[in-house]
Amino acid sequence: MSPTEGFDDNPLRNRDFGLYFSGVFMATLANQIQSVAVAWQIYEIARTPMALGYVGLAQFLPIAALFFLAGDVADRHNRRRILAISYAVQAFASAALLLLTLSSSRSPWLFYAVLVLLGSARAFGQPAGQSFLPQLVKGSAFMKAIAWTSSARQTAVILGPALGGFIYIWGPAPAYAVCLLLLVATSLALGALQTDSQTRPHDPALSSFRRVTAGIGFIRSKPILLGAISLDLFAVLLGGATALLPIYARDILQVGPSGLGLLRSAPAIGATLTGMLLGRMPLRHSTGLAMFASIAIFGVATIVFGLSTDFTASVAALTVLGASDMISVYVRSTLVQLATPDAMRGRVSAVNSLFIGASNELGEFESGLTAAWFGTVPSVVLGGVGTILVVVLWMTFFPALRKLDRLSDVEDATTAARQS
Protein backbone atom coordinates (compact mmCIF):
# COMPACT_ATOMS: atom_id res chain seq x y z
CA MET A 1 0.00 0.00 0.00
CA SER A 2 1.27 3.47 -0.92
CA PRO A 3 2.08 5.89 1.93
CA THR A 4 -0.59 8.16 0.50
CA GLU A 5 -3.34 5.55 0.77
CA GLY A 6 -5.36 4.29 3.70
CA PHE A 7 -5.96 7.68 5.32
CA ASP A 8 -9.03 9.83 5.67
CA ASP A 9 -9.19 13.32 4.27
CA ASN A 10 -6.90 14.73 7.00
CA PRO A 11 -3.50 15.03 5.26
CA LEU A 12 -1.66 15.42 8.57
CA ARG A 13 -2.32 11.72 9.24
CA ASN A 14 -0.27 10.93 6.17
CA ARG A 15 3.33 10.18 7.28
CA ASP A 16 4.90 11.49 4.10
CA PHE A 17 2.85 14.67 4.08
CA GLY A 18 3.88 15.28 7.69
CA LEU A 19 7.54 15.08 6.64
CA TYR A 20 6.90 17.30 3.62
CA PHE A 21 4.94 19.80 5.73
CA SER A 22 7.76 19.95 8.30
CA GLY A 23 10.34 20.38 5.54
CA VAL A 24 8.44 23.26 3.95
CA PHE A 25 8.23 25.04 7.31
CA MET A 26 11.91 24.54 8.21
CA ALA A 27 13.20 25.53 4.76
CA THR A 28 11.05 28.66 4.56
CA LEU A 29 12.07 29.64 8.09
CA ALA A 30 15.75 29.20 7.15
CA ASN A 31 15.39 31.24 3.96
CA GLN A 32 13.71 34.10 5.82
CA ILE A 33 16.33 34.18 8.60
CA GLN A 34 19.09 34.09 6.01
CA SER A 35 17.58 36.86 3.89
CA VAL A 36 17.64 39.23 6.88
CA ALA A 37 21.22 38.31 7.76
CA VAL A 38 22.57 38.58 4.20
CA ALA A 39 20.87 41.90 3.47
CA TRP A 40 21.98 43.53 6.72
CA GLN A 41 25.53 42.18 6.52
CA ILE A 42 26.09 43.23 2.91
CA TYR A 43 24.63 46.68 3.52
CA GLU A 44 26.97 47.10 6.50
CA ILE A 45 29.91 46.15 4.25
CA ALA A 46 29.04 48.21 1.15
CA ARG A 47 26.62 50.91 2.43
CA THR A 48 25.09 51.45 -1.05
CA PRO A 49 21.59 50.63 -2.38
CA MET A 50 23.14 48.85 -5.35
CA ALA A 51 24.73 46.32 -3.01
CA LEU A 52 21.23 45.27 -1.96
CA GLY A 53 20.18 45.18 -5.60
CA TYR A 54 22.95 42.73 -6.41
CA VAL A 55 21.68 40.42 -3.63
CA GLY A 56 18.51 39.91 -5.66
CA LEU A 57 20.27 39.79 -9.03
CA ALA A 58 22.70 37.09 -7.87
CA GLN A 59 19.79 34.83 -6.95
CA PHE A 60 17.69 35.63 -10.02
CA LEU A 61 20.27 35.06 -12.78
CA PRO A 62 20.65 31.30 -12.20
CA ILE A 63 16.85 30.92 -12.08
CA ALA A 64 16.59 32.69 -15.44
CA ALA A 65 19.42 30.64 -16.91
CA LEU A 66 18.23 27.24 -15.67
CA PHE A 67 14.43 27.39 -15.65
CA PHE A 68 14.04 25.60 -19.02
CA LEU A 69 16.24 22.73 -17.86
CA ALA A 70 14.82 22.66 -14.32
CA GLY A 71 11.22 22.29 -15.51
CA ASP A 72 12.12 19.49 -17.91
CA VAL A 73 14.09 17.69 -15.18
CA ALA A 74 11.11 17.95 -12.78
CA ASP A 75 8.80 16.38 -15.37
CA ARG A 76 11.15 13.56 -16.34
CA HIS A 77 12.93 12.60 -13.10
CA ASN A 78 12.18 11.80 -9.46
CA ARG A 79 10.86 15.01 -7.89
CA ARG A 80 11.47 13.81 -4.33
CA ARG A 81 15.18 13.30 -5.00
CA ILE A 82 15.44 16.64 -6.76
CA LEU A 83 13.95 18.34 -3.70
CA ALA A 84 16.27 16.56 -1.26
CA ILE A 85 19.36 17.44 -3.34
CA SER A 86 18.20 21.05 -3.76
CA TYR A 87 17.94 21.57 -0.01
CA ALA A 88 21.27 19.83 0.57
CA VAL A 89 22.92 22.34 -1.79
CA GLN A 90 21.14 25.20 -0.02
CA ALA A 91 22.54 23.88 3.26
CA PHE A 92 26.00 23.92 1.69
CA ALA A 93 25.44 27.57 0.70
CA SER A 94 24.52 28.44 4.30
CA ALA A 95 27.72 26.74 5.45
CA ALA A 96 29.69 28.82 2.93
CA LEU A 97 28.11 32.05 4.23
CA LEU A 98 29.00 30.97 7.76
CA LEU A 99 32.64 30.33 6.78
CA LEU A 100 32.89 33.69 4.99
CA THR A 101 31.58 35.41 8.12
CA LEU A 102 33.90 33.55 10.47
CA SER A 103 36.85 34.45 8.22
CA SER A 104 35.86 38.15 8.52
CA SER A 105 35.54 38.51 4.74
CA ARG A 106 34.69 42.07 3.65
CA SER A 107 34.22 41.27 -0.05
CA PRO A 108 30.54 41.41 -1.04
CA TRP A 109 31.41 39.59 -4.28
CA LEU A 110 32.22 36.40 -2.38
CA PHE A 111 28.79 36.58 -0.78
CA TYR A 112 27.21 37.16 -4.21
CA ALA A 113 28.97 34.04 -5.53
CA VAL A 114 27.37 31.97 -2.76
CA LEU A 115 23.99 33.52 -3.54
CA VAL A 116 24.38 32.41 -7.17
CA LEU A 117 24.80 28.85 -5.91
CA LEU A 118 21.76 29.31 -3.70
CA GLY A 119 19.71 30.57 -6.64
CA SER A 120 20.82 27.58 -8.74
CA ALA A 121 19.59 25.15 -6.10
CA ARG A 122 16.26 26.94 -5.85
CA ALA A 123 15.93 26.94 -9.66
CA PHE A 124 15.61 23.14 -9.54
CA GLY A 125 13.85 22.86 -6.19
CA GLN A 126 10.94 25.22 -6.88
CA PRO A 127 9.37 23.47 -9.91
CA ALA A 128 9.97 20.05 -8.34
CA GLY A 129 8.31 21.13 -5.10
CA GLN A 130 5.32 22.80 -6.76
CA SER A 131 4.63 19.75 -8.93
CA PHE A 132 5.27 17.07 -6.26
CA LEU A 133 2.44 17.82 -3.82
CA PRO A 134 -0.36 16.54 -6.13
CA GLN A 135 1.43 13.19 -6.20
CA LEU A 136 2.01 13.14 -2.46
CA VAL A 137 -1.61 13.74 -1.38
CA LYS A 138 -4.60 12.75 -3.47
CA GLY A 139 -8.37 12.77 -3.34
CA SER A 140 -10.35 14.85 -0.88
CA ALA A 141 -7.23 15.57 1.21
CA PHE A 142 -5.49 17.47 -1.57
CA MET A 143 -7.13 20.88 -1.10
CA LYS A 144 -6.55 20.64 2.66
CA ALA A 145 -2.92 19.77 1.98
CA ILE A 146 -2.57 22.95 -0.08
CA ALA A 147 -4.08 24.98 2.76
CA TRP A 148 -1.78 23.39 5.37
CA THR A 149 1.30 23.88 3.21
CA SER A 150 0.43 27.52 2.53
CA SER A 151 -0.12 28.08 6.25
CA ALA A 152 3.27 26.54 7.04
CA ARG A 153 4.99 28.86 4.59
CA GLN A 154 3.20 31.97 5.80
CA THR A 155 3.85 31.15 9.46
CA ALA A 156 7.54 30.74 8.68
CA VAL A 157 7.55 33.98 6.69
CA ILE A 158 6.12 35.76 9.74
CA LEU A 159 8.44 34.19 12.28
CA GLY A 160 11.60 34.02 10.15
CA PRO A 161 12.43 37.72 9.66
CA ALA A 162 11.66 38.60 13.28
CA LEU A 163 13.71 35.64 14.49
CA GLY A 164 16.49 36.54 12.07
CA GLY A 165 16.60 40.11 13.33
CA PHE A 166 16.69 38.89 16.92
CA ILE A 167 19.49 36.38 16.25
CA TYR A 168 21.45 39.03 14.35
CA ILE A 169 21.89 40.92 17.62
CA TRP A 170 24.70 38.38 18.23
CA GLY A 171 25.96 38.75 14.66
CA PRO A 172 25.40 37.02 11.30
CA ALA A 173 27.34 33.84 12.15
CA PRO A 174 24.70 32.46 14.58
CA ALA A 175 21.99 33.22 11.99
CA TYR A 176 23.79 31.24 9.29
CA ALA A 177 24.44 28.38 11.71
CA VAL A 178 20.72 28.12 12.50
CA CYS A 179 19.91 28.16 8.76
CA LEU A 180 22.45 25.40 8.14
CA LEU A 181 20.84 23.15 10.75
CA LEU A 182 17.31 23.81 9.45
CA LEU A 183 18.24 23.09 5.82
CA VAL A 184 20.11 19.89 6.70
CA ALA A 185 17.03 18.73 8.62
CA THR A 186 14.84 19.61 5.62
CA SER A 187 16.98 17.62 3.21
CA LEU A 188 16.92 14.60 5.54
CA ALA A 189 13.13 14.84 5.98
CA LEU A 190 12.49 14.92 2.23
CA GLY A 191 15.02 12.17 1.64
CA ALA A 192 13.04 9.98 4.07
CA LEU A 193 9.81 10.24 2.07
CA GLN A 194 8.54 6.88 0.83
CA THR A 195 6.42 8.37 -1.95
CA ASP A 196 8.31 8.52 -5.23
CA SER A 197 7.13 10.59 -8.13
CA GLN A 198 6.68 8.87 -11.45
CA THR A 199 9.57 9.26 -13.85
CA ARG A 200 8.45 9.95 -17.41
CA PRO A 201 10.62 9.21 -20.43
CA HIS A 202 10.62 11.99 -22.99
CA ASP A 203 8.57 11.76 -26.15
CA PRO A 204 11.02 10.83 -28.93
CA ALA A 205 8.87 12.74 -31.40
CA LEU A 206 9.70 15.99 -29.60
CA SER A 207 13.02 17.73 -29.98
CA SER A 208 14.85 18.71 -26.82
CA PHE A 209 14.14 22.37 -27.52
CA ARG A 210 10.41 21.85 -28.02
CA ARG A 211 10.21 19.68 -24.91
CA VAL A 212 11.88 22.13 -22.54
CA THR A 213 10.05 25.18 -23.94
CA ALA A 214 6.63 23.54 -23.80
CA GLY A 215 5.79 25.34 -20.54
CA ILE A 216 6.05 28.74 -22.20
CA GLY A 217 3.90 27.59 -25.11
CA PHE A 218 1.26 26.26 -22.72
CA ILE A 219 1.03 29.54 -20.80
CA ARG A 220 0.96 31.61 -24.00
CA SER A 221 -1.97 29.52 -25.22
CA LYS A 222 -4.03 30.57 -22.18
CA PRO A 223 -4.48 34.37 -22.07
CA ILE A 224 -6.02 34.32 -18.58
CA LEU A 225 -3.01 32.42 -17.21
CA LEU A 226 -0.53 34.64 -19.06
CA GLY A 227 -2.28 37.78 -17.86
CA ALA A 228 -2.37 36.68 -14.21
CA ILE A 229 1.29 35.63 -14.09
CA SER A 230 2.62 38.67 -15.97
CA LEU A 231 0.46 41.06 -13.92
CA ASP A 232 1.92 39.67 -10.71
CA LEU A 233 5.40 39.85 -12.24
CA PHE A 234 5.34 43.52 -13.18
CA ALA A 235 3.43 44.65 -10.09
CA VAL A 236 5.93 43.14 -7.64
CA LEU A 237 8.87 43.98 -9.91
CA LEU A 238 8.00 47.67 -9.77
CA GLY A 239 6.68 47.68 -6.21
CA GLY A 240 9.58 45.80 -4.62
CA ALA A 241 9.97 48.08 -1.61
CA THR A 242 11.00 45.21 0.65
CA ALA A 243 14.46 45.09 -0.98
CA LEU A 244 15.24 48.48 0.53
CA LEU A 245 14.06 47.66 4.05
CA PRO A 246 17.62 47.60 5.46
CA ILE A 247 18.00 51.25 4.38
CA TYR A 248 14.67 52.19 5.95
CA ALA A 249 15.48 50.29 9.16
CA ARG A 250 18.96 51.73 9.53
CA ASP A 251 18.83 55.24 8.06
CA ILE A 252 15.20 56.42 7.83
CA LEU A 253 13.28 54.74 10.65
CA GLN A 254 16.41 54.01 12.73
CA VAL A 255 15.09 50.81 14.32
CA GLY A 256 18.09 48.48 13.87
CA PRO A 257 18.17 44.76 12.99
CA SER A 258 15.27 43.84 15.27
CA GLY A 259 13.14 46.54 13.63
CA LEU A 260 14.18 45.21 10.24
CA GLY A 261 12.89 41.79 11.25
CA LEU A 262 9.51 43.27 12.19
CA LEU A 263 9.34 45.22 8.94
CA ARG A 264 10.05 42.07 6.93
CA SER A 265 7.43 40.15 8.92
CA ALA A 266 4.67 42.73 8.39
CA PRO A 267 3.79 41.74 4.78
CA ALA A 268 3.59 38.08 5.84
CA ILE A 269 1.25 38.95 8.70
CA GLY A 270 -1.09 40.66 6.24
CA ALA A 271 -0.78 37.75 3.83
CA THR A 272 -1.52 35.16 6.52
CA LEU A 273 -4.61 36.96 7.80
CA THR A 274 -5.88 37.32 4.24
CA GLY A 275 -5.12 33.68 3.51
CA MET A 276 -7.14 32.61 6.55
CA LEU A 277 -10.02 34.80 5.37
CA LEU A 278 -9.84 33.32 1.87
CA GLY A 279 -9.86 29.85 3.41
CA ARG A 280 -13.17 30.62 5.12
CA MET A 281 -14.63 32.83 2.40
CA PRO A 282 -12.97 32.00 -0.94
CA LEU A 283 -13.46 34.25 -3.93
CA ARG A 284 -16.59 33.04 -5.70
CA HIS A 285 -17.38 35.78 -8.20
CA SER A 286 -15.63 38.64 -10.04
CA THR A 287 -12.28 36.99 -9.39
CA GLY A 288 -10.48 38.92 -12.13
CA LEU A 289 -11.63 42.29 -10.88
CA ALA A 290 -10.68 41.31 -7.32
CA MET A 291 -7.15 40.53 -8.51
CA PHE A 292 -6.81 43.88 -10.29
CA ALA A 293 -8.19 45.75 -7.26
CA SER A 294 -5.79 43.98 -4.90
CA ILE A 295 -2.75 44.91 -6.97
CA ALA A 296 -3.92 48.54 -7.18
CA ILE A 297 -4.10 48.53 -3.35
CA PHE A 298 -0.61 46.98 -3.35
CA GLY A 299 0.61 50.02 -5.32
CA VAL A 300 -1.05 52.50 -2.97
CA ALA A 301 0.40 50.74 0.09
CA THR A 302 3.85 50.88 -1.50
CA ILE A 303 3.54 54.65 -1.95
CA VAL A 304 2.39 55.12 1.67
CA PHE A 305 5.32 53.06 2.95
CA GLY A 306 7.78 54.95 0.78
CA LEU A 307 6.70 58.31 2.21
CA SER A 308 6.38 57.17 5.84
CA THR A 309 8.91 58.20 8.51
CA ASP A 310 6.93 56.62 11.37
CA PHE A 311 7.68 52.99 12.27
CA THR A 312 4.09 52.10 13.20
CA ALA A 313 2.69 53.59 9.98
CA SER A 314 5.36 51.77 7.97
CA VAL A 315 4.46 48.43 9.56
CA ALA A 316 0.77 49.08 8.86
CA ALA A 317 1.47 49.93 5.20
CA LEU A 318 3.55 46.79 4.75
CA THR A 319 0.79 44.70 6.36
CA VAL A 320 -1.74 46.04 3.84
CA LEU A 321 0.81 45.44 1.08
CA GLY A 322 1.14 41.78 2.07
CA ALA A 323 -2.62 41.32 2.40
CA SER A 324 -3.28 42.64 -1.09
CA ASP A 325 -0.43 40.62 -2.57
CA MET A 326 -1.89 37.44 -1.05
CA ILE A 327 -5.06 37.83 -3.12
CA SER A 328 -2.96 38.03 -6.29
CA VAL A 329 -0.90 35.01 -5.24
CA TYR A 330 -4.06 33.06 -4.39
CA VAL A 331 -5.62 33.72 -7.80
CA ARG A 332 -2.41 33.05 -9.75
CA SER A 333 -1.54 29.85 -7.87
CA THR A 334 -5.04 28.45 -8.19
CA LEU A 335 -5.19 29.23 -11.91
CA VAL A 336 -1.86 27.48 -12.52
CA GLN A 337 -2.97 24.42 -10.52
CA LEU A 338 -6.38 24.08 -12.16
CA ALA A 339 -5.27 24.73 -15.72
CA THR A 340 -2.17 22.51 -15.89
CA PRO A 341 -2.10 18.72 -16.51
CA ASP A 342 0.29 16.72 -14.32
CA ALA A 343 2.62 15.84 -17.20
CA MET A 344 3.24 19.57 -17.74
CA ARG A 345 3.37 20.72 -14.11
CA GLY A 346 7.17 20.77 -13.82
CA ARG A 347 7.69 22.92 -16.90
CA VAL A 348 4.78 25.25 -16.19
CA SER A 349 5.91 25.55 -12.57
CA ALA A 350 9.41 26.39 -13.81
CA VAL A 351 8.03 29.28 -15.87
CA ASN A 352 5.95 30.37 -12.89
CA SER A 353 9.06 30.18 -10.69
CA LEU A 354 10.93 32.36 -13.17
CA PHE A 355 8.19 34.97 -13.01
CA ILE A 356 8.18 34.79 -9.20
CA GLY A 357 11.98 35.07 -9.17
CA ALA A 358 11.83 37.99 -11.57
CA SER A 359 9.27 39.80 -9.43
CA ASN A 360 11.15 39.12 -6.17
CA GLU A 361 14.91 38.76 -6.76
CA LEU A 362 15.06 40.84 -9.97
CA GLY A 363 12.71 43.30 -8.28
CA GLU A 364 15.32 43.69 -5.55
CA PHE A 365 17.90 44.59 -8.18
CA GLU A 366 15.52 47.05 -9.83
CA SER A 367 14.81 48.69 -6.48
CA GLY A 368 18.51 48.97 -5.66
CA LEU A 369 19.25 50.41 -9.10
CA THR A 370 16.49 53.04 -9.01
CA ALA A 371 17.38 53.92 -5.41
CA ALA A 372 20.96 54.55 -6.52
CA TRP A 373 19.71 56.75 -9.36
CA PHE A 374 16.85 58.69 -7.73
CA GLY A 375 17.21 58.11 -3.99
CA THR A 376 15.51 55.57 -1.73
CA VAL A 377 12.18 57.30 -1.09
CA PRO A 378 11.59 58.46 -4.72
CA SER A 379 12.43 54.94 -5.90
CA VAL A 380 9.77 53.32 -3.71
CA VAL A 381 7.12 55.95 -4.56
CA LEU A 382 7.78 55.65 -8.31
CA GLY A 383 7.49 51.88 -7.99
CA GLY A 384 4.06 52.20 -6.41
CA VAL A 385 2.89 54.58 -9.12
CA GLY A 386 4.24 52.20 -11.78
CA THR A 387 2.30 49.32 -10.22
CA ILE A 388 -0.97 51.25 -10.50
CA LEU A 389 -0.23 52.06 -14.14
CA VAL A 390 0.41 48.38 -14.86
CA VAL A 391 -3.02 47.52 -13.43
CA VAL A 392 -4.66 50.00 -15.80
CA LEU A 393 -2.74 48.67 -18.82
CA TRP A 394 -3.34 44.99 -18.03
CA MET A 395 -7.09 45.56 -17.64
CA THR A 396 -6.96 46.71 -21.27
CA PHE A 397 -4.53 44.06 -22.59
CA PHE A 398 -6.21 41.05 -20.93
CA PRO A 399 -10.00 41.53 -21.00
CA ALA A 400 -10.56 37.80 -20.42
CA LEU A 401 -8.81 38.05 -17.05
CA ARG A 402 -10.76 41.18 -16.17
CA LYS A 403 -14.04 39.40 -16.95
CA LEU A 404 -13.11 36.16 -15.14
CA ASP A 405 -15.91 35.32 -12.71
CA ARG A 406 -15.14 31.97 -11.02
CA LEU A 407 -11.70 30.35 -10.77
CA SER A 408 -13.26 27.01 -11.71
CA ASP A 409 -14.16 28.47 -15.11
CA VAL A 410 -10.54 27.87 -16.13
CA GLU A 411 -10.71 24.21 -15.06
CA ASP A 412 -13.98 23.73 -16.95
CA ALA A 413 -12.45 25.22 -20.09
CA THR A 414 -9.35 23.02 -19.78
CA THR A 415 -11.43 19.85 -19.29
CA ALA A 416 -13.56 20.70 -22.32
CA ALA A 417 -10.45 21.26 -24.42
CA ARG A 418 -9.06 17.82 -23.45
CA GLN A 419 -12.33 16.09 -24.34
CA SER A 420 -12.72 17.80 -27.70
Side-chain angles (χ1 to χ4, degrees):
M1 182 169 59
S2 167
T4 63
E5 296 174 2
F7 295 94
D8 58 23
D9 63 351
N10 184 353
L12 292 179
R13 297 184 182 180
N14 180 327
R15 169 194 177 273
D16 276 9
F17 178 73
L19 289 171
Y20 179 84
F21 174 84
S22 301
V24 166
F25 177 78
M26 290 187 294
T28 307
L29 188 67
N31 289 332
Q32 294 299 315
I33 293 172
Q34 192 161 272
S35 66
V36 172
V38 168
W40 191 272
Q41 186 178 17
I42 288 182
Y43 187 61
E44 281 192 325
I45 292 172
R47 295 294 180 90
T48 65
M50 276 306 303
L52 295 174
Y54 289 136
V55 169
L57 185 64
Q59 296 175 78
F60 169 74
L61 289 178
I63 295 176
L66 297 171
F67 84 99
F68 278 133
L69 177 62
D72 186 48
V73 168
D75 277 338
R76 294 175 56 205
H77 298 282
N78 189 300
R79 293 166 181 169
R80 176 186 63 82
R81 294 177 185 172
I82 296 170
L83 276 173
I85 294 171
S86 170
Y87 285 118
V89 175
Q90 291 181 52
F92 178 81
S94 294
L97 291 171
L98 176 60
L99 290 175
L100 286 175
T101 302
L102 294 176
S103 66
S104 301
S105 173
R106 300 292 295 177
S107 171
W109 297 104
L110 292 176
F111 287 88
Y112 297 144
V114 176
L115 293 177
V116 169
L117 176 63
L118 188 65
S120 300
R122 289 176 180 170
F124 286 92
Q126 287 174 352
Q130 292 176 26
S131 54
F132 183 54
L133 184 58
Q135 295 179 322
L136 185 65
V137 181
K138 301 180 184 300
S140 59
F142 178 63
M143 294 307 295
K144 292 185 178 180
I146 292 178
W148 277 107
T149 304
S150 299
S151 297
R153 286 197 177 96
Q154 290 301 328
T155 301
V157 170
I158 292 172
L159 296 176
L163 183 58
F166 177 75
I167 296 174
Y168 201 94
I169 294 174
W170 290 277
Y176 296 139
V178 170
C179 294
L180 173 60
L181 293 174
L182 288 170
L183 290 168
V184 168
T186 299
S187 182
L188 293 175
L190 295 176
L193 293 176
Q194 296 176 4
T195 303
D196 270 337
S197 64
Q198 179 183 1
T199 57
R200 302 177 180 83
H202 71 276
D203 185 349
L206 288 178
S207 67
S208 297
F209 179 78
R210 287 184 60 192
R211 190 181 69 246
V212 300
T213 58
I216 290 180
F218 181 83
I219 291 175
R220 288 184 61 187
S221 70
K222 297 185 176 297
I224 290 178
L225 204 57
L226 176 62
I229 293 176
S230 59
L231 174 63
D232 190 69
L233 162 68
F234 285 103
V236 181
L237 178 66
L238 293 172
T242 54
L244 302 176
L245 288 183
I247 300 176
Y248 274 87
R250 184 184 185 96
D251 301 332
I252 297 176
L253 302 174
Q254 299 180 351
V255 291
S258 59
L260 172 62
L262 292 174
L263 290 172
R264 291 191 69 100
S265 294
I269 294 173
T272 300
L273 294 175
T274 303
M276 293 171 61
L277 182 62
L278 289 171
R280 296 179 64 87
M281 296 183 295
L283 296 175
R284 300 188 184 279
H285 298 287
S286 302
T287 304
L289 286 176
M291 184 178 188
F292 283 114
S294 69
I295 294 182
I297 293 171
F298 179 93
V300 173
T302 300
I303 295 172
V304 172
F305 170 76
L307 295 173
S308 173
T309 56
D310 177 76
F311 180 67
T312 302
S314 297
V315 170
L318 289 173
T319 302
V320 173
L321 182 149
S324 57
D325 185 50
M326 183 61 186
I327 296 176
S328 173
V329 170
Y330 169 82
V331 173
R332 171 174 52 78
S333 300
T334 306
L335 288 176
V336 170
Q337 190 68 45
L338 294 178
T340 309
D342 183 68
M344 287 285 298
R345 280 200 177 105
R347 284 164 287 180
V348 172
S349 295
V351 178
N352 191 35
S353 295
L354 175 68
F355 277 64
I356 295 171
S359 62
N360 293 326
E361 281 81 11
L362 189 59
E364 291 181 9
F365 175 71
E366 179 272 338
S367 296
L369 185 64
T370 54
W373 286 348
F374 308 117
T376 300
V377 173
S379 168
V380 175
V381 173
L382 287 173
V385 172
T387 298
I388 297 172
L389 290 177
V390 166
V391 170
V392 175
L393 291 174
W394 257 239
M395 290 183 72
T396 303
F397 294 159
F398 296 96
L401 178 60
R402 185 184 72 244
K403 297 175 183 177
L404 179 65
D405 187 31
R406 299 174 303 146
L407 287 170
S408 58
D409 291 343
V410 175
E411 183 179 30
D412 295 340
T414 301
T415 302
R418 292 175 191 162
Q419 295 174 346
S420 62

